[in-house]
Amino acid sequence: RSARLLEEAVAYGAGGFKVHEDWGATPAQIDTCLGVAQASGLPVVSVTPGMILLATITPTAAATVDFLTTFTSTYDNYLILGDGLSCSVADQLAARFAVGGVVDTSSAYYTNTNGGSGATTTTTSMYVVPSGQPSGYMSFSMTVFNVNAATAQYKSFQAYSMAKSDNTPTFAGNAPWGIYPVANAVSGIRFFFNSAANFGATGKIRVYGISNT
């Protein structure tokens, strides 16, 4: 909005201003609002959205998609969305957490691959998407909880996924989940295929931070 309109609002008794991202909080609008507020001695508040897009990667023909330092102390929980992904050969999409930017390849993951109860088997990665084919595609949503928790057992993940499993209209879905009992804060995540297949240059993976407040 123009400074003149804000100044008219002050003249009519406005008690302050609110900057809301849904209305287009551009740098110019923020600057104008702050200028009028400073001149009139009025407060400015901003609306913080509950979920922030932190990073987006479009896969290339590579073996990994890395968000190794995307997680921070600003957010304890994250939503990760993958859509329209593909692989160079039939394979399962997996993931590993990173601590201090370094991927943890140890047998530190307690996982359940079929959505049932119980996660007592340690593995070297998290199962994310059932086997996909080069001609198909795969999508998933994955929630990661409590990445900054000092108590190791509180870090956990839950995924919902589907994949086109072959050239005919055959699909596979799953809901894997698990625990990551490591005391250090998790700094990010790596996605890869179990047999080291490359990603196809399709789709996107997006990471959202969920507000702590």
Side-chain angles (χ1 to χ4, degrees), residues 75-160:
Y75 307 99
D76 291 332
N77 307 303
Y78 294 82
L79 174 66
I80 306 172
L81 301 179
D83 62 86
L85 306 174
S86 62
C87 52
S88 58
V89 298
D91 209 344
Q92 295 177 341
L93 182 65
R96 291 181 174 129
F97 286 131
V99 174
V102 178
V103 176
D104 185 357
T105 61
S106 69
S107 297
Y109 306 89
Y110 287 78
T111 64
N112 184 298
T113 61
N114 59 16
S117 61
T120 58
T121 302
T122 57
T123 64
T124 60
S125 64
M126 299 170 282
Y127 178 87
V128 180
V129 181
S131 182
Q133 300 288 328
S135 60
Y137 59 86
M138 57 191 76
S139 298
F140 71 90
S141 67
M142 180 180 187
T143 307
V144 181
F145 303 96
N146 296 316
V147 301
N148 299 302
T151 304
Q153 286 78 6
Y154 288 169
K155 297 182 182 70
S156 60
F157 57 91
Q158 170 72 66
Y160 297 93

Coordinates of all heavy atoms in Angstrom, one line a residue, residues 75-160:
Y75 N 13.3 -24.8 14.1 CA 12.2 -25.7 13.9 C 12.5 -27.1 14.5 O 13.6 -27.6 14.2 CB 11.8 -25.9 12.4 CG 11.5 -24.6 11.7 CD1 12.5 -24.0 10.9 CD2 10.3 -23.9 11.9 CE1 12.3 -22.8 10.3 CE2 10.1 -22.7 11.3 CZ 11.1 -22.1 10.5 OH 10.9 -20.9 9.8
D76 N 11.6 -27.6 15.3 CA 11.8 -29.0 15.8 C 11.3 -30.1 14.9 O 11.7 -31.2 15.0 CB 11.2 -29.1 17.2 CG 11.9 -28.3 18.2 OD1 13.1 -28.0 18.1 OD2 11.3 -27.9 19.2
N77 N 10.3 -29.7 14.1 CA 9.6 -30.7 13.3 C 9.6 -30.2 11.8 O 9.5 -29.0 11.5 CB 8.1 -30.9 13.8 CG 8.1 -31.2 15.2 OD1 8.7 -32.2 15.7 ND2 7.4 -30.4 16.0
Y78 N 9.6 -31.2 10.9 CA 9.7 -30.9 9.5 C 8.7 -31.8 8.7 O 8.5 -32.9 9.0 CB 11.1 -31.1 9.0 CG 12.1 -30.1 9.6 CD1 12.6 -30.4 10.9 CD2 12.4 -28.9 9.0 CE1 13.5 -29.5 11.5 CE2 13.3 -28.0 9.5 CZ 13.8 -28.3 10.8 OH 14.7 -27.4 11.4
L79 N 8.2 -31.2 7.6 CA 7.4 -31.9 6.6 C 8.2 -31.9 5.3 O 8.6 -30.8 4.8 CB 6.0 -31.2 6.4 CG 5.2 -31.8 5.3 CD1 4.8 -33.3 5.7 CD2 3.9 -31.0 5.0
I80 N 8.4 -33.1 4.7 CA 9.1 -33.2 3.5 C 8.2 -33.9 2.5 O 7.6 -34.9 2.7 CB 10.4 -34.1 3.7 CG1 11.2 -33.6 4.8 CG2 11.2 -34.2 2.4 CD1 12.4 -34.5 5.2
L81 N 8.0 -33.2 1.3 CA 7.2 -33.7 0.2 C 8.0 -34.0 -1.0 O 8.8 -33.2 -1.5 CB 6.1 -32.6 -0.1 CG 5.2 -32.2 1.1 CD1 4.2 -31.1 0.6 CD2 4.4 -33.4 1.6
G82 N 7.8 -35.2 -1.5 CA 8.4 -35.6 -2.8 C 7.4 -35.9 -3.8 O 6.4 -36.7 -3.4
D83 N 7.4 -35.4 -5.0 CA 6.4 -35.7 -6.0 C 7.0 -35.9 -7.3 O 7.9 -35.2 -7.7 CB 5.3 -34.6 -6.0 CG 5.9 -33.2 -6.4 OD1 6.0 -32.9 -7.6 OD2 6.2 -32.4 -5.5
G84 N 6.4 -36.8 -8.1 CA 6.9 -37.0 -9.5 C 8.3 -37.5 -9.6 O 8.9 -37.3 -10.6
L85 N 8.8 -38.2 -8.6 CA 10.2 -38.7 -8.7 C 10.3 -40.0 -9.5 O 9.3 -40.7 -9.6 CB 10.7 -39.0 -7.3 CG 10.6 -37.8 -6.3 CD1 11.0 -38.2 -4.9 CD2 11.4 -36.6 -6.7
S86 N 11.5 -40.3 -10.0 CA 11.7 -41.5 -10.8 C 13.1 -42.0 -10.5 O 14.0 -41.3 -9.9 CB 11.5 -41.2 -12.3 OG 12.4 -40.3 -12.8
C87 N 13.4 -43.2 -10.9 CA 14.8 -43.8 -10.7 C 15.2 -44.4 -12.0 O 14.5 -44.7 -12.9 CB 14.7 -44.8 -9.6 SG 13.4 -46.1 -9.8
S88 N 16.6 -44.6 -12.1 CA 17.2 -45.1 -13.4 C 16.9 -46.6 -13.5 O 16.9 -47.1 -14.7 CB 18.7 -44.8 -13.4 OG 19.3 -45.4 -12.3
V89 N 16.8 -47.4 -12.4 CA 16.4 -48.8 -12.5 C 15.4 -49.0 -11.3 O 15.3 -48.2 -10.4 CB 17.7 -49.7 -12.3 CG1 18.6 -49.5 -13.4 CG2 18.4 -49.4 -11.0
A90 N 14.8 -50.2 -11.3 CA 13.8 -50.5 -10.3 C 14.6 -50.5 -8.9 O 15.6 -51.2 -8.7 CB 13.2 -51.9 -10.5
D91 N 14.0 -49.7 -8.0 CA 14.7 -49.6 -6.7 C 13.8 -49.0 -5.7 O 12.7 -48.5 -6.0 CB 15.9 -48.7 -6.9 CG 17.0 -49.0 -5.9 OD1 16.8 -49.7 -4.9 OD2 18.2 -48.5 -6.1
Q92 N 14.2 -49.1 -4.4 CA 13.5 -48.5 -3.3 C 14.1 -47.2 -2.8 O 15.3 -47.1 -2.7 CB 13.4 -49.5 -2.1 CG 12.6 -50.7 -2.4 CD 12.7 -51.7 -1.2 OE1 13.5 -51.6 -0.4 NE2 11.8 -52.7 -1.2
L93 N 13.3 -46.2 -2.6 CA 13.8 -44.9 -2.1 C 14.0 -45.0 -0.6 O 13.1 -45.4 0.2 CB 12.8 -43.8 -2.4 CG 13.3 -42.4 -2.0 CD1 14.6 -42.0 -2.8 CD2 12.2 -41.3 -2.3
A94 N 15.2 -44.6 -0.1 CA 15.5 -44.6 1.3 C 16.0 -43.3 1.7 O 16.2 -42.4 0.9 CB 16.5 -45.7 1.6
A95 N 16.3 -43.1 3.0 CA 16.8 -41.8 3.5 C 17.7 -42.1 4.7 O 17.6 -43.1 5.4 CB 15.7 -40.9 3.9
R96 N 18.6 -41.2 5.0 CA 19.5 -41.2 6.2 C 19.5 -39.8 6.7 O 19.6 -38.8 6.0 CB 20.9 -41.7 5.9 CG 21.0 -43.2 5.5 CD 22.4 -43.5 5.2 NE 22.6 -45.0 5.0 CZ 23.2 -45.5 4.0 NH1 23.7 -44.8 3.1 NH2 23.2 -46.9 3.9
F97 N 19.6 -39.7 8.1 CA 19.7 -38.4 8.7 C 21.2 -37.9 8.7 O 22.1 -38.8 8.6 CB 19.3 -38.4 10.1 CG 17.8 -38.5 10.3 CD1 17.2 -39.4 11.1 CD2 17.0 -37.6 9.6 CE1 15.8 -39.5 11.3 CE2 15.6 -37.6 9.7 CZ 15.0 -38.6 10.6
A98 N 21.4 -36.6 8.8 CA 22.7 -36.1 8.9 C 22.9 -35.4 10.3 O 21.9 -34.8 10.8 CB 23.0 -35.0 7.8
V99 N 24.0 -35.5 10.9 CA 24.3 -34.9 12.2 C 25.6 -34.0 11.9 O 26.6 -34.5 11.5 CB 24.6 -35.9 13.3 CG1 25.1 -35.2 14.6 CG2 23.4 -36.8 13.5
G100 N 25.4 -32.7 12.2 CA 26.5 -31.8 11.9 C 26.9 -31.8 10.4 O 28.0 -31.5 10.1
G101 N 25.9 -32.0 9.5 CA 26.1 -32.0 8.1 C 26.7 -33.3 7.6 O 27.0 -33.4 6.4
V102 N 27.0 -34.3 8.4 CA 27.6 -35.6 8.0 C 26.5 -36.7 8.1 O 25.9 -36.8 9.1 CB 28.8 -35.9 8.9 CG1 29.4 -37.3 8.5 CG2 29.8 -34.8 8.9
V103 N 26.4 -37.4 7.0 CA 25.3 -38.4 6.9 C 25.7 -39.6 7.8 O 26.8 -40.1 7.8 CB 25.2 -38.9 5.4 CG1 24.2 -40.1 5.4 CG2 24.8 -37.8 4.5
D104 N 24.7 -40.1 8.6 CA 24.9 -41.2 9.5 C 24.5 -42.5 8.8 O 23.4 -42.8 8.5 CB 24.0 -41.0 10.7 CG 24.2 -42.1 11.8 OD1 25.0 -43.0 11.5 OD2 23.6 -42.0 12.8
T105 N 25.6 -43.3 8.5 CA 25.4 -44.5 7.8 C 25.4 -45.8 8.7 O 25.4 -46.9 8.3 CB 26.5 -44.7 6.7 OG1 27.8 -44.8 7.4 CG2 26.5 -43.6 5.7
S106 N 25.4 -45.5 10.0 CA 25.5 -46.6 11.0 C 24.1 -47.3 11.1 O 23.1 -46.8 10.6 CB 25.9 -46.1 12.3 OG 24.9 -45.3 12.9
S107 N 24.1 -48.4 11.8 CA 22.8 -49.1 12.1 C 22.1 -48.5 13.3 O 21.9 -49.1 14.3 CB 23.1 -50.6 12.4 OG 23.7 -51.2 11.3
A108 N 21.7 -47.2 13.1 CA 21.1 -46.4 14.2 C 19.6 -46.2 14.0 O 19.0 -45.5 14.8 CB 21.8 -45.1 14.3
Y109 N 19.0 -46.8 12.9 CA 17.6 -46.5 12.6 C 16.7 -47.7 13.0 O 17.0 -48.9 12.5 CB 17.5 -46.2 11.1 CG 18.4 -45.1 10.6 CD1 19.7 -45.4 10.2 CD2 18.0 -43.8 10.6 CE1 20.5 -44.4 9.7 CE2 18.8 -42.8 10.2 CZ 20.1 -43.1 9.7 OH 20.9 -42.1 9.3
Y110 N 15.7 -47.5 13.8 CA 14.7 -48.5 14.1 C 13.5 -48.3 13.3 O 12.9 -47.2 13.4 CB 14.4 -48.5 15.6 CG 15.4 -49.0 16.5 CD1 16.5 -48.2 16.9 CD2 15.3 -50.2 17.1 CE1 17.5 -48.7 17.7 CE2 16.3 -50.7 18.0 CZ 17.4 -49.9 18.3 OH 18.4 -50.4 19.1
T111 N 13.2 -49.2 12.3 CA 12.2 -48.9 11.3 C 11.2 -50.0 11.3 O 11.4 -51.1 11.6 CB 12.8 -48.7 9.9 OG1 13.4 -49.9 9.6 CG2 13.9 -47.6 9.9
N112 N 10.0 -49.6 10.8 CA 8.9 -50.5 10.5 C 8.5 -50.1 9.1 O 8.1 -49.0 8.8 CB 7.7 -50.4 11.4 CG 6.7 -51.4 11.2 OD1 6.1 -51.4 10.1 ND2 6.4 -52.2 12.1
T113 N 8.7 -51.1 8.1 CA 8.5 -50.7 6.7 C 7.1 -50.9 6.2 O 6.8 -50.5 5.1 CB 9.4 -51.6 5.9 OG1 9.1 -53.0 6.1 CG2 10.9 -51.4 6.2
N114 N 6.2 -51.4 7.0 CA 4.8 -51.7 6.5 C 3.7 -51.0 7.2 O 2.6 -51.2 7.0 CB 4.6 -53.2 6.4 CG 4.6 -53.8 7.8 OD1 4.6 -53.1 8.8 ND2 4.7 -55.1 7.8
G115 N 4.1 -50.1 8.1 CA 3.0 -49.3 8.8 C 2.4 -50.0 10.0 O 1.5 -49.5 10.7
G116 N 2.9 -51.2 10.3 CA 2.3 -52.0 11.5 C 3.0 -51.5 12.8 O 3.7 -50.5 12.8
S117 N 2.7 -52.3 13.9 CA 3.2 -51.9 15.2 C 4.6 -52.5 15.3 O 4.9 -53.6 14.8 CB 2.3 -52.4 16.3 OG 2.1 -53.8 16.2
G118 N 5.4 -51.9 16.2 CA 6.7 -52.5 16.5 C 7.8 -52.0 15.5 O 7.7 -52.1 14.3
A119 N 9.0 -51.5 16.1 CA 10.1 -51.2 15.3 C 11.3 -51.6 16.1 O 12.0 -50.8 16.8 CB 10.1 -49.7 15.0
T120 N 11.7 -52.9 16.0 CA 12.7 -53.4 16.8 C 14.0 -53.8 16.1 O 15.0 -54.1 16.7 CB 12.2 -54.7 17.5 OG1 11.8 -55.7 16.5 CG2 11.1 -54.4 18.4
T121 N 14.0 -53.7 14.7 CA 15.1 -54.0 13.9 C 15.9 -52.8 13.5 O 15.4 -51.8 13.0 CB 14.7 -54.8 12.6 OG1 13.9 -55.9 13.0 CG2 15.9 -55.2 11.8
T122 N 17.2 -52.8 13.8 CA 18.1 -51.7 13.4 C 18.5 -51.9 12.0 O 18.8 -53.0 11.5 CB 19.3 -51.6 14.3 OG1 20.0 -52.8 14.2 CG2 18.9 -51.3 15.7
T123 N 18.5 -50.8 11.3 CA 19.0 -50.8 9.9 C 19.9 -49.6 9.6 O 20.0 -48.7 10.5 CB 17.8 -50.7 8.9 OG1 17.1 -49.4 9.1 CG2 16.8 -51.8 9.2
T124 N 20.5 -49.5 8.5 CA 21.4 -48.4 8.2 C 20.7 -47.2 7.4 O 21.3 -46.3 7.0 CB 22.5 -48.9 7.3 OG1 22.0 -49.4 6.1 CG2 23.4 -49.9 8.0
S125 N 19.3 -47.3 7.3 CA 18.6 -46.2 6.6 C 17.1 -46.3 6.9 O 16.7 -47.3 7.6 CB 18.8 -46.3 5.1 OG 18.3 -47.5 4.6
M126 N 16.4 -45.3 6.5 CA 14.9 -45.3 6.6 C 14.3 -45.6 5.3 O 14.7 -45.1 4.2 CB 14.5 -43.9 7.1 CG 15.0 -43.5 8.4 SD 14.7 -41.7 8.7 CE 15.9 -40.9 7.7
Y127 N 13.3 -46.5 5.3 CA 12.6 -46.9 4.1 C 11.5 -45.8 3.9 O 10.8 -45.4 4.8 CB 11.9 -48.2 4.4 CG 11.0 -48.8 3.3 CD1 11.5 -49.5 2.3 CD2 9.6 -48.5 3.4 CE1 10.7 -50.1 1.3 CE2 8.8 -49.1 2.4 CZ 9.3 -49.8 1.4 OH 8.5 -50.4 0.5
V128 N 11.5 -45.3 2.6 CA 10.6 -44.1 2.3 C 9.5 -44.5 1.3 O 8.3 -44.3 1.5 CB 11.3 -42.9 1.8 CG1 10.4 -41.7 1.5 CG2 12.4 -42.5 2.9
V129 N 9.9 -45.1 0.2 CA 9.0 -45.4 -0.9 C 9.2 -46.8 -1.4 O 10.3 -47.2 -1.6 CB 9.1 -44.4 -2.1 CG1 8.1 -44.7 -3.2 CG2 9.0 -43.0 -1.7
P130 N 8.1 -47.6 -1.6 CA 8.3 -48.9 -2.2 C 8.9 -48.9 -3.6 O 8.9 -47.8 -4.2 CB 6.8 -49.5 -2.2 CG 6.0 -48.2 -2.2 CD 6.7 -47.2 -1.4
S131 N 9.3 -50.0 -4.1 CA 10.0 -50.1 -5.3 C 9.3 -49.4 -6.5 O 8.1 -49.7 -6.8 CB 10.3 -51.6 -5.7 OG 11.1 -51.7 -6.8
G132 N 10.0 -48.6 -7.2 CA 9.5 -47.9 -8.3 C 10.3 -48.4 -9.6 O 11.3 -49.0 -9.5
Q133 N 9.8 -48.1 -10.7 CA 10.3 -48.5 -12.0 C 10.8 -47.2 -12.8 O 10.2 -46.1 -12.6 CB 9.3 -49.3 -12.8 CG 8.9 -50.5 -12.2 CD 9.9 -51.6 -12.1 OE1 10.8 -51.7 -13.0 NE2 9.9 -52.4 -11.1
P134 N 11.7 -47.4 -13.7 CA 12.1 -46.2 -14.5 C 11.0 -45.6 -15.3 O 11.0 -44.4 -15.5 CB 13.2 -46.8 -15.4 CG 13.7 -48.0 -14.7 CD 12.6 -48.5 -14.0
S135 N 10.0 -46.4 -15.7 CA 8.9 -45.9 -16.5 C 7.8 -45.3 -15.6 O 6.9 -44.7 -16.1 CB 8.3 -47.0 -17.3 OG 7.8 -48.1 -16.5
G136 N 7.9 -45.5 -14.3 CA 6.9 -45.1 -13.4 C 7.2 -43.8 -12.7 O 8.0 -43.0 -13.1
Y137 N 6.6 -43.6 -11.5 CA 6.9 -42.4 -10.7 C 6.6 -42.7 -9.3 O 5.9 -43.7 -9.0 CB 6.1 -41.2 -11.2 CG 4.6 -41.4 -11.2 CD1 3.9 -41.2 -10.0 CD2 4.0 -41.9 -12.3 CE1 2.5 -41.4 -10.0 CE2 2.6 -42.1 -12.2 CZ 1.9 -41.8 -11.1 OH 0.5 -42.1 -11.0
M138 N 7.1 -41.9 -8.4 CA 6.8 -42.1 -6.9 C 6.7 -40.7 -6.3 O 7.2 -39.7 -6.7 CB 8.0 -42.9 -6.3 CG 9.3 -42.3 -6.4 SD 10.6 -43.5 -5.9 CE 10.7 -44.5 -7.4
S139 N 5.8 -40.8 -5.2 CA 5.6 -39.6 -4.4 C 5.5 -40.0 -3.0 O 5.1 -41.1 -2.6 CB 4.3 -38.9 -4.9 OG 4.4 -38.4 -6.2
F140 N 5.8 -39.0 -2.1 CA 5.7 -39.3 -0.6 C 5.5 -38.0 0.2 O 5.9 -36.9 -0.3 CB 7.0 -40.0 -0.2 CG 8.2 -39.2 -0.1 CD1 8.6 -38.4 1.0 CD2 9.0 -39.1 -1.3 CE1 9.7 -37.7 1.0 CE2 10.2 -38.3 -1.2 CZ 10.5 -37.6 -0.1
S141 N 5.0 -38.2 1.4 CA 5.1 -37.2 2.4 C 5.8 -37.8 3.6 O 5.5 -38.9 4.0 CB 3.7 -36.6 2.8 OG 2.9 -37.6 3.4
M142 N 6.6 -37.0 4.2 CA 7.4 -37.6 5.4 C 7.5 -36.5 6.4 O 7.9 -35.4 6.2 CB 8.8 -38.0 4.9 CG 9.7 -38.5 6.0 SD 11.3 -38.9 5.3 CE 12.1 -39.8 6.7
T143 N 7.1 -36.8 7.7 CA 7.2 -35.9 8.8 C 8.3 -36.4 9.7 O 8.4 -37.6 10.0 CB 5.9 -35.9 9.6 OG1 4.8 -35.6 8.7 CG2 5.9 -34.8 10.6
V144 N 9.2 -35.5 10.1 CA 10.3 -35.7 11.0 C 10.1 -35.0 12.2 O 9.8 -33.7 12.2 CB 11.6 -35.3 10.3 CG1 12.8 -35.7 11.3 CG2 11.8 -36.1 9.0
F145 N 10.1 -35.6 13.4 CA 9.7 -35.0 14.6 C 11.0 -34.9 15.6 O 11.8 -35.7 15.6 CB 8.7 -35.9 15.4 CG 7.5 -36.2 14.6 CD1 7.3 -37.4 13.9 CD2 6.4 -35.3 14.6 CE1 6.2 -37.6 13.1 CE2 5.3 -35.5 13.9 CZ 5.1 -36.7 13.1
N146 N 11.0 -33.8 16.3 CA 11.9 -33.5 17.4 C 13.4 -33.7 17.0 O 14.1 -34.3 17.7 CB 11.6 -34.5 18.6 CG 10.2 -34.3 19.1 OD1 9.8 -33.2 19.4 ND2 9.4 -35.4 19.3
V147 N 13.8 -33.0 16.0 CA 15.2 -33.2 15.5 C 16.2 -32.6 16.5 O 17.4 -33.0 16.5 CB 15.4 -32.5 14.1 CG1 14.4 -33.1 13.1 CG2 15.2 -31.0 14.2
N148 N 15.7 -31.7 17.4 CA 16.6 -31.1 18.3 C 16.6 -31.7 19.7 O 17.2 -31.1 20.7 CB 16.4 -29.6 18.4 CG 16.6 -28.9 17.1 OD1 17.6 -28.9 16.5 ND2 15.5 -28.2 16.5
A149 N 15.8 -32.7 19.9 CA 15.6 -33.3 21.2 C 16.9 -33.8 21.8 O 17.7 -34.5 21.1 CB 14.6 -34.4 21.1
A150 N 17.2 -33.5 23.1 CA 18.4 -34.1 23.7 C 18.2 -35.5 24.1 O 19.1 -36.3 24.2 CB 18.7 -33.2 25.0
T151 N 16.9 -35.9 24.3 CA 16.6 -37.3 24.6 C 16.5 -38.1 23.3 O 15.6 -37.8 22.5 CB 15.3 -37.5 25.4 OG1 15.4 -36.7 26.6 CG2 15.0 -38.9 25.8
A152 N 17.4 -39.0 23.1 CA 17.5 -39.7 21.8 C 16.2 -40.3 21.3 O 15.9 -40.3 20.1 CB 18.6 -40.7 21.9
Q153 N 15.5 -41.0 22.2 CA 14.4 -41.8 21.8 C 13.2 -40.9 21.2 O 12.3 -41.5 20.6 CB 13.8 -42.6 23.0 CG 14.7 -43.8 23.3 CD 15.9 -43.4 24.1 OE1 16.1 -42.3 24.5 NE2 16.8 -44.4 24.3
Y154 N 13.3 -39.6 21.4 CA 12.2 -38.8 20.9 C 12.2 -38.5 19.4 O 11.3 -37.9 18.9 CB 12.1 -37.5 21.7 CG 11.6 -37.6 23.2 CD1 11.8 -36.6 24.1 CD2 11.1 -38.8 23.6 CE1 11.3 -36.7 25.4 CE2 10.7 -39.0 24.9 CZ 10.8 -37.9 25.8 OH 10.4 -38.1 27.1
K155 N 13.3 -38.7 18.8 CA 13.4 -38.4 17.3 C 12.7 -39.5 16.6 O 13.0 -40.7 16.8 CB 14.8 -38.3 16.9 CG 15.6 -37.1 17.5 CD 17.0 -37.1 17.0 CE 17.8 -35.9 17.7 NZ 18.1 -36.3 19.1
S156 N 11.8 -39.1 15.7 CA 11.0 -40.2 15.0 C 10.6 -39.6 13.6 O 10.8 -38.4 13.3 CB 9.8 -40.6 15.7 OG 8.9 -39.4 16.0
F157 N 10.2 -40.5 12.7 CA 9.7 -40.2 11.4 C 8.5 -41.0 11.0 O 8.4 -42.1 11.5 CB 10.9 -40.3 10.4 CG 11.4 -41.7 10.3 CD1 10.9 -42.7 9.4 CD2 12.5 -42.1 11.1 CE1 11.5 -43.9 9.4 CE2 13.0 -43.4 11.1 CZ 12.5 -44.3 10.2
Q158 N 7.7 -40.5 10.1 CA 6.5 -41.2 9.6 C 6.4 -40.8 8.1 O 6.4 -39.6 7.8 CB 5.3 -40.8 10.4 CG 4.0 -41.3 9.8 CD 3.8 -42.8 9.9 OE1 3.6 -43.3 11.0 NE2 3.8 -43.5 8.8
A159 N 6.2 -41.7 7.3 CA 6.1 -41.4 5.8 C 4.8 -42.1 5.3 O 4.4 -43.1 5.8 CB 7.3 -41.9 5.1
Y160 N 4.3 -41.5 4.3 CA 3.2 -42.1 3.5 C 3.6 -42.0 2.0 O 4.0 -40.9 1.5 CB 1.9 -41.3 3.7 CG 1.4 -41.4 5.1 CD1 1.7 -40.4 6.0 CD2 0.6 -42.5 5.5 CE1 1.2 -40.5 7.3 CE2 0.1 -42.6 6.8 CZ 0.5 -41.6 7.7 OH 0.0 -41.7 9.0

